[in-house]
Amino acid sequence: QVYLVESGGGSMQTGGSAMLSCLLAGDATSISCMGWYRQAPGKEREGIAVSYTGGGSEYYSKSVKGRSAITEDIAKNILHLQINNLNPEDTAMYYCAAGCSGTTGSMVVSGAVPDFTYWGQGIQVTVSS
C-alpha cells in the first residue's frame, strides 16, 4: 500500500514561484515513476511533469516547460515540483501521482495523464490576478 501527501500549495502571487512537495509513504519499492497533474474547474486533467526515480528521465508539459523543475529527495522519499513565473492560468488542484503502469511518462509532454496507480488527495494552488 502506497499513499502520497502533497504540501506547499495555497495562495500564490502572479509572477512568483510555487514549490510543491510530495511525500511518498508506504511500500515504495515498486515505484519507478512519479509525477504531477492538475485540474482546474470545468477543465480536463492536465499532465504536468513526470520523473523516473533514481535520476532517470524527466518530462514536462508544454504549459510548464521552461519554468518548472522536478527534484527528488531520495533519502526522504519526497518529490518536488517547482513552477516559476506563475500566472492565474496555473490555478488548479494539483495532484501528485506514482506508478505509470503500462503507459509511458513521456505522454505528459502533450498534457496527457499517464495511467497512474496511486495519487494523492490533491492540493489547491491559487494564483491571484
Side-chain angles (χ1 to χ4, degrees):
Q1 183 68 28
V2 173
Y3 68 94
L4 306 168
V5 181
E6 301 98 337
S7 62
S11 298
M12 311 291 178
Q13 296 289 326
T14 297
S17 298
M19 174 65 82
L20 307 181
S21 299
C22 174
L23 173 66
L24 174 62
D27 186 2
T29 57
S30 64
I31 300 299
S32 63
C33 173
M34 296 186 66
W36 294 83
Y37 66 92
R38 67 186 182 185
Q39 187 169 29
K43 304 294 184 180
E44 295 182 341
R45 297 186 307 159
E46 179 188 14
I48 297 299
V50 167
S51 175
Y52 284 85
T53 57
S57 300
E58 299 177 4
Y59 303 95
Y60 299 90
S61 69
K62 293 181 176 64
S63 63
V64 301
K65 183 180 180 181
R67 61 187 182 100
S68 297
I70 284 181
T71 57
E72 181 183 3
D73 189 332
I74 298 177
K76 297 182 178 180
N77 273 349
I78 295 177
L79 186 75
H80 302 284
L81 174 66
Q82 181 167 336
I83 306 177
N84 301 316
N85 194 25
L86 291 168
N87 61 77
E89 294 181 353
D90 292 316
T91 296
M93 185 74 73
Y94 285 72
Y95 298 86
C96 179
C100 294
S101 299
T103 60
T104 175
S106 63
M107 66 192 300
V108 76
V109 173
S110 65
V113 181
D115 188 15
F116 291 110
T117 304
Y118 306 99
W119 54 89
Q121 79 280 8
I123 188 166
Q124 180 69 34
V125 173
T126 301
V127 184
S128 62
S129 60

